[in-house]
Amino acid sequence: MTRSDIDSAALDYAAGGGLLSRRTLLASAAAGTAAGLLQPRVARAEAEIPEWTKAAGARARGYGAPAAAESAVQRAIIEPWQDVAPAFSLSGTPHHKLRGTITPSGLHYEVHHGGRPDIDPARHHLMIHGLVERPLQFDLDALERYPMVTATHFLECAGNSLFNAIMPEPMQAGCDMLHGLVSNTEWAGIPMRVLMEEAGVKPEGKWVVAAGADGPSLARSIPMEKVMSDGMLALYQNGERIRPEQGYPMRLLLPGFEGNMNIKWLTSLWVTEAPVHTKDESGEYTEILADGSSLQFTFAMGVKSFITHPSSTMTMSGPGFYEISGLAWTGAGKVAKVEVSADGGASWAEAALAGPVLPQALTRFSLPWHWDGSPLVLMSRATDETGAVQPARADWKARYHASNFLHYNAIQPWQVTAEGAVQNVYL
Amino acid sequence: MSIFKLTATAALLLTAAAARAEGPGLGQPLEAADIPFYATYVKPDGTGLPAGSGTAAQGAEIYAAKCTTCHGATGSEGPVMPPVGPNDVWAKPAGSYWPYATTLFDYIRRAMPLEAPKSLSDDEAYALAAYILERNGVIDAETAMTAETLPAVKMPNHGNFLDVWAKQGATPW
């Protein structure tokens, strides 16, 4: 939205680079309505009437699909080894083409270590065994009869934003490639506690090894404390059965914990006294620190945010009014505040958060902005309810070995050039 | 309020309390014989390892036939996460970085090769673990890997990990 007719000197600025007070857009929107009333546009007899307004539309259909003109809104596919190991494949949510906070199920990010299995739900079982009083198995029909809860939570791959973490020069790509391995869903399912209590966890059962029914039988050790406090056996994703990409017919949901632990196609929960050091918790999902030692069992995702509008690969449509908008989240609970800078971090203004702000869920933030056409750097910085703040990239890099690309949560700066191009930069 | 209504309310409350405590209780008994191996994991102390054995020399032959396309001719070339280190591709080669050798056996048996997981015999999985460990200089060429020798292997990076969950629980690092 550009309104170059506005007197920019009279605006209510909140920080440098043209950031405006959070009330500005409401005021100018009201002014726009008033102006519209003064000059009403009346449809004239010779006005063009589009053909769809002169015909009957298509009939009802069993399952809807996005508008044909939106077919370019797709996940970005990342295949590190292409045809050598095609089953190891990822795709990122195109956040720069979406608004709101819920990720459409078909655009939820994917990380497949051994491809997406094709599971017959009638032959799928969930087993609970190990250190329990009663080893049990459940089929889908039985699970469907349990009391269910509904909760909105993000999932984020520990490797989200990996290109910013390891590329020496900033990669020029959209939010789908740069930050697409995070998505947000309304999940419905059974509290894990109910199923674990039915099996009767023995006092020495302190961990649960969860395994999927996929080819590699991906497995992770999970603290019993987490499973019992807010773990969910998720059966529904945004109201419908979980998509095959997200674990059909059932997955484990551990709010705030790295995506890899939220086992898809869940088939087994094995109660043990200690973690068993599965492959993923032995290497791939450990972080090498600057001193060469490593972190193991780094479960919760840190506080993070990025601006989706405008963002890398977009082009500004000239100077004037814009709404800066983006997403913030934290594995530690709720987002407390998001600050935005339009002068490379010299000054900051607090963005509005679209409520309700939910724990371990994506939160949309926004702030009105008047771009005067000069080059500048936009960035967002989130703080969570524990007081944790996003680090600058250099500070994040300094903690880890150069090869580490996991748990990257640094501030994302976007360079806006005088020509209006928006680019990924490191600051 | 009529007696009928009171009774109905009490019954509802009772049902709700039972459900809160236990759920509807629809789980079916699970027999040990119905638990597949991949529903458990070999523990660092070797619990869960099956009978069988394999040497690095035997592993080299299986590796050459089934693993090179992804992990490279000798395990250090890649392109996919070479298990033999040091290499230029992957800072965390399985055969030297992982804290426990038992994970190698379990992971290979359940997950590799990528396109045909669970196709290897226990002997083959032992032999491939032996080959990868030997190529990393962690074991010698003669020692066969078995349920006794594998958990006794001392991994060079063992003891170099900080357990973040034990240190600070669910607080992000």
Side-chain angles (χ1 to χ4, degrees):
Chain A
M1 174 178 73
T2 54
R3 292 177 55 86
S4 43
D5 52 333
I6 292 263
D7 175 7
S8 59
L11 293 168
D12 182 7
Y13 289 103
L19 292 180
L20 299 172
S21 124
R22 279 184 270 162
R23 286 173 306 278
T24 306
L25 268 203
L26 294 174
S28 66
T33 312
L37 283 176
L38 289 176
Q39 288 184 318
R41 284 169 180 247
V42 180
R44 282 192 286 261
E46 65 269 26
E48 188 215 357
I49 302 174
E51 58 276 22
W52 52 84
T53 308
K54 294 192 286 186
R59 61 207 301 178
R61 54 186 168 179
Y63 198 99
E70 299 298 315
S71 61
V73 181
Q74 299 272 332
R75 293 182 282 219
I77 292 170
I78 307 171
E79 289 184 341
W81 303 293
Q82 285 99 29
D83 292 344
V84 173
F88 189 103
S89 58
L90 298 70
S91 70
T93 300
H95 289 293
H96 55 309
K97 297 174 182 166
L98 304 175
R99 297 277 190 164
T101 57
I102 295 291
T103 308
S105 299
L107 296 175
H108 192 291
Y109 85 84
E110 306 165 89
V111 174
H112 302 314
H113 289 249
R116 181 188 69 237
D118 183 12
I119 293 178
D120 175 359
R123 289 169 54 208
H124 183 87
H125 294 274
L126 175 66
M127 300 173 268
I128 303 183
H129 56 114
L131 296 171
V132 295
E133 304 293 346
R134 297 167 290 278
L136 294 175
Q137 58 182 325
F138 302 84
D139 62 19
L140 203 53
D141 289 345
L143 293 169
E144 188 62 34
R145 288 174 56 192
Y146 278 69
M148 293 193 200
V149 290
T150 299
T152 298
H153 290 299
F154 76 81
L155 279 179
E156 184 181 18
C157 175
N160 191 24
S161 319
L162 79 157
F163 298 114
N164 276 356
I166 47 164
M167 303 254 306
E169 296 300 326
M171 184 167 95
Q172 296 311 323
C175 290
D176 46 1
M177 292 292 280
L178 295 176
H179 303 296
L181 303 184
V182 62
S183 304
N184 200 49
T185 296
E186 187 201 77
W187 306 97
I190 305 164
M192 266 324 308
R193 185 182 49 76
V194 172
L195 299 172
M196 298 307 286
E197 281 175 358
E198 185 175 331
V201 177
K202 293 183 176 170
E204 62 273 30
K206 296 285 183 241
W207 288 73
V208 180
V209 181
D214 52 331
S217 308
L218 199 145
R220 287 293 301 259
S221 305
I222 296 149
M224 183 65 75
E225 200 181 314
K226 177 67 176 177
V227 171
M228 298 301 259
S229 64
D230 61 355
M232 186 203 288
L233 179 71
L235 300 167
Y236 290 84
Q237 174 184 8
N238 295 327
E240 62 183 357
R241 287 277 192 189
I242 286 191
R243 293 283 172 96
E245 295 98 306
Q246 271 75 55
Y248 183 84
M250 59 189 74
R251 84 173 307 160
L252 185 58
L253 193 77
L254 303 169
F257 278 22
E258 61 184 16
N260 182 257
M261 301 176 74
N262 296 253
I263 303 289
K264 293 178 285 191
W265 315 294
L266 184 70
T267 189
S268 169
L269 295 163
W270 181 45
V271 179
T272 60
E273 67 284 348
V276 295
H277 297 268
T278 71
K279 171 257 187 193
D280 283 322
E281 61 214 30
S282 294
E284 198 167 336
Y285 291 89
T286 65
E287 299 83 47
I288 310 183
L289 296 175
D291 69 1
S293 70
S294 289
L295 300 180
Q296 202 182 13
F297 307 119
T298 320
F299 296 151
M301 300 306 295
V303 62
K304 189 163 170 179
S305 73
F306 64 97
I307 295 171
T308 56
H309 300 80
S311 62
S312 178
T313 67
M314 289 183 179
T315 308
M316 309 287 293
S317 51
F321 272 97
Y322 290 87
E323 184 186 57
I324 294 173
S325 173
L327 294 166
W329 67 97
T330 171
K334 292 180 187 173
V335 171
K337 84 175 165 187
V338 178
E339 297 157 293
V340 171
S341 174
D343 53 13
S347 64
W348 297 84
E350 201 171 326
L353 303 182
V357 176
L358 300 170
Q360 286 107 9
L362 295 192
T363 299
R364 174 78 49 190
F365 65 86
S366 63
L367 195 67
W369 175 45
H370 183 263
W371 183 47
D372 68 4
S374 52
L376 47 76
V377 173
L378 294 174
M379 44 213 248
S380 64
R381 178 174 70 187
T383 303
D384 71 21
E385 61 179 340
T386 71
V389 189
Q390 279 185 269
R393 182 175 185 274
D395 295 335
W396 185 90
K397 287 292 286 179
R399 292 182 210 156
Y400 295 100
H401 183 259
S403 67
N404 181 50
F405 56 82
L406 301 178
H407 289 267
Y408 181 87
N409 68 331
I411 292 169
Q412 170 66 67
W414 301 128
Q415 168 81 56
V416 181
T417 69
E419 296 73 39
V422 188
Q423 297 167 348
N424 184 18
V425 284
Y426 294 159
L427 267 194
Chain B
M1 192 181 268
S2 75
I3 298 276
F4 169 72
K5 270 188 180 160
L6 266 181
T7 324
T9 312
L12 263 179
L13 282 175
L14 274 177
T15 323
R20 247 202 317 280
E22 294 172 11
L26 300 171
Q28 297 298 310
L30 173 66
E31 305 302 328
D34 292 331
I35 302 173
F37 77 86
Y38 57 84
T40 64
Y41 218 97
V42 173
K43 293 180 181 173
D45 68 2
T47 308
L49 279 172
S53 82
T55 63
Q58 291 164 333
E61 277 180 37
I62 308 160
Y63 182 89
K66 297 184 173 175
C67 319
T68 54
T69 50
C70 290
H71 297 298
T74 68
S76 54
E77 301 84 354
V80 181
M81 297 179 195
V84 177
N87 63 68
D88 302 331
V89 184
W90 182 229
K92 301 186 270 195
S96 59
Y97 178 87
W98 291 3
Y100 298 102
T102 46
T103 308
L104 267 181
F105 173 89
D106 190 301
Y107 180 66
I108 291 169
R109 183 173 62 154
R110 73 169 53 220
M112 288 292 131
L114 186 68
E115 307 299 337
K118 303 173 184 69
S119 62
L120 298 170
S121 69
D122 293 344
D123 285 343
E124 287 176 312
Y126 275 120
L128 286 161
Y131 172 71
I132 291 170
L133 290 168
E134 193 270 333
R135 287 276 306 137
N136 277 280
V138 175
I139 62 167
D140 57 47
E142 287 73 43
T143 314
M145 288 296 107
T146 66
E148 286 70 43
T149 56
L150 186 66
V153 171
K154 187 97 180 97
M155 294 297 279
N157 201 35
H158 179 265
N160 203 19
F161 291 86
L162 174 71
D163 181 338
V164 175
W165 173 258
K167 180 175 181 285
Q168 61 186 56
T171 302
W173 178 256

